Amino acid sequence: MISRKQFTRVLAATAAIAALASCAPAGPSAQPPPPATATAVTGNAPTWGPIKQIKAGVLDIGYAETGPANGKPVILLHGWPYDIHSYVDVAPALAAAGFRVFVPYLRGSGSTTFLSPATARNGQQAAVATDIINFMDALGIQRATIAGFDWGARTATVLAALWPERFTGLVSVSGYLITNLKANQQPLPPAAELGWWYQYYFATERGVQGYTRNRTEFNKLIWQGGSPKWQFDDATYQRTAQSFANPDHVAIVVHNYRWRLSLAPGEPQYEALEQKLAAAPMITIPAITIASDFDGAAANGAGYRDKFTGRYDHRVLPGIGHNVPQEAPREFTKAVIDVTG
């Protein structure tokens, strides 16, 4: 049962999403998405205002910010090959519910750049998570709710595991995604291996050249495969595809996947953090995990339930693909509100 305060927040968030949808052209895409159905989106979907920049750690991080200055902080993390537009409906809904929302571009995406050409273009999980701690410190954010999907869910889970004192709640699509390099050496069933074809492609120099030349077409294929029921149009895709022009994009993506397969080293300064993550630490803060059609047989969450020892809920969204916050913004928004309390 939710409290009166939570109910008011959910009501405000739902109204905000409905208001956004009412600005779209007449037709199926003009209505807020019903539960458990993929959202049809159009090129008239809302976008961000001016993007802010802040120097944090080794990066100059680009980010969107919205909501009342005194609202509870929420940090929303995108995945690959996506960007901050995955939250273009969720963020204003959370702002309407009273939250202060921050949506940073991850390293290698959008306007986030490295401060020095000498810094390694490293995509390992501890490096990306450290970026977010540096981002919070630079903005003076002591504690926040953290939420994400894909790379963003992995990063959010790493943050909750390593720095629980900095976070009030976690929303993670696909559950507990902390990478275990040793476990990743074990082969999967053939059907599962087929699904990760791009990881093996990136392990080759041919893959690097192919992705460099064809990243826009490549990533659209990933969108279609990960969300086969999501009816996005080309304008919506191109809005995000601009982020792939980042000068470090290819290097970060390739290193991330090579590192996961133990084909590329991490950096020594992150080794102590990686050793902690290799022990598969528990998540002790309040958490909600979300599964969708993308998760297949793992959608029930049973495989990672025992990794969450705090207040916990698991939600399944049939008919939704991998980009949950953009396909099911109402459900994702409600999860952030519910986990924050």
Side-chain angles (χ1 to χ4, degrees):
M1 178 179 296
I2 65 174
S3 67
R4 182 182 299 273
K5 184 177 181 181
Q6 288 174 302
F7 177 79
T8 301
R9 285 180 174 176
V10 172
L11 189 63
T14 301
I17 292 175
L20 285 168
S22 69
C23 296
S29 63
Q31 301 301 319
T37 58
T39 308
V41 296
T42 75
N44 291 329
T47 189
W48 301 108
I51 298 300
K52 299 181 178 182
Q53 296 290 142
I54 191 165
K55 291 179 172 59
V58 299
L59 299 174
D60 182 1
I61 297 178
Y63 67 101
E65 181 180 358
T66 187
N70 62 349
K72 292 183 178 180
V74 175
I75 300 173
L76 305 175
L77 302 178
H78 67 83
W80 172 87
Y82 308 95
D83 79 339
I84 65 174
H85 288 94
S86 290
Y87 295 104
V88 77
D89 296 315
V90 170
L94 287 172
F99 290 88
R100 190 67 177 171
V101 186
F102 302 86
V103 194
Y105 283 110
L106 299 185
R107 54 171 59 192
S109 181
S111 62
T112 291
T113 57
F114 286 86
L115 297 174
S116 169
T119 303
R121 273 38 178 178
N122 176 1
Q124 75 181 102
Q125 62 185 357
V128 180
T130 300
D131 291 343
I132 304 305
I133 292 297
N134 291 335
F135 176 71
M136 294 173 67
D137 290 345
L139 288 171
I141 302 171
Q142 296 304 311
R143 300 186 75 204
T145 296
I146 191 79
F149 74 105
D150 194 80
W151 287 25
R154 175 171 291 104
T155 304
T157 307
V158 167
L159 289 165
L162 294 179
W163 294 279
E165 71 281 1
R166 300 297 298 271
F167 300 98
T168 53
L170 165 70
V171 175
S172 176
V173 173
S174 299
Y176 188 92
L177 295 180
I178 293 175
T179 297
N180 184 306
L181 294 181
K182 184 176 181 180
N184 268 12
Q185 296 303 300
Q186 297 302 311
L188 299 171
E193 297 283 24
L194 179 63
W196 303 126
W197 65 271
Y198 55 87
Q199 299 192 23
Y200 309 123
Y201 184 66
F202 290 147
T204 69
E205 286 309 304
R206 173 176 173 154
V208 175
Q209 293 181 41
Y211 190 55
T212 301
R213 296 175 188 174
N214 306 305
R215 70 190 80 172
T216 299
E217 296 86 351
F218 189 104
N219 290 340
K220 191 171 186 180
L221 184 65
I222 298 295
W223 275 39
Q224 293 166 337
S227 303
K229 298 180 182 179
W230 184 31
Q231 301 172 34
F232 63 88
D233 66 7
D234 191 60
T236 297
Y237 175 70
Q238 291 298 332
R239 183 179 59 183
T240 286
Q242 298 176 51
S243 292
F244 312 145
N246 182 290
D248 303 303
H249 179 78
V250 173
I252 294 298
V253 171
V254 169
H255 183 268
N256 177 284
Y257 288 110
R258 289 187 176 184
W259 176 82
R260 289 197 216 177
L261 294 174
S262 297
L263 298 175
E267 291 184 89
Q269 64 263 40
Y270 301 113
E271 184 57 29
L273 296 178
E274 293 294 353
Q275 288 299 318
K276 292 179 180 179
L277 295 171
M282 299 293 183
I283 305 299
T284 59
I285 66 173
I288 293 175
T289 53
I290 298 175
S292 66
D293 288 358
F294 181 83
D295 298 289
N300 64 10
Y304 47 76
R305 172 63 185 91
D306 62 354
K307 303 308 297 181
F308 297 87
T309 61
R311 176 166 57 85
Y312 177 74
D313 189 22
H314 179 69
R315 301 174 183 183
V316 182
L317 302 179
I320 299 300
H322 194 37
N323 188 357
V324 170
Q326 202 163 358
E327 296 180 63
R330 181 161 52 196
E331 290 82 356
F332 195 92
T333 298
K334 186 176 186 304
V336 172
I337 292 171
D338 290 348
V339 83
T340 305

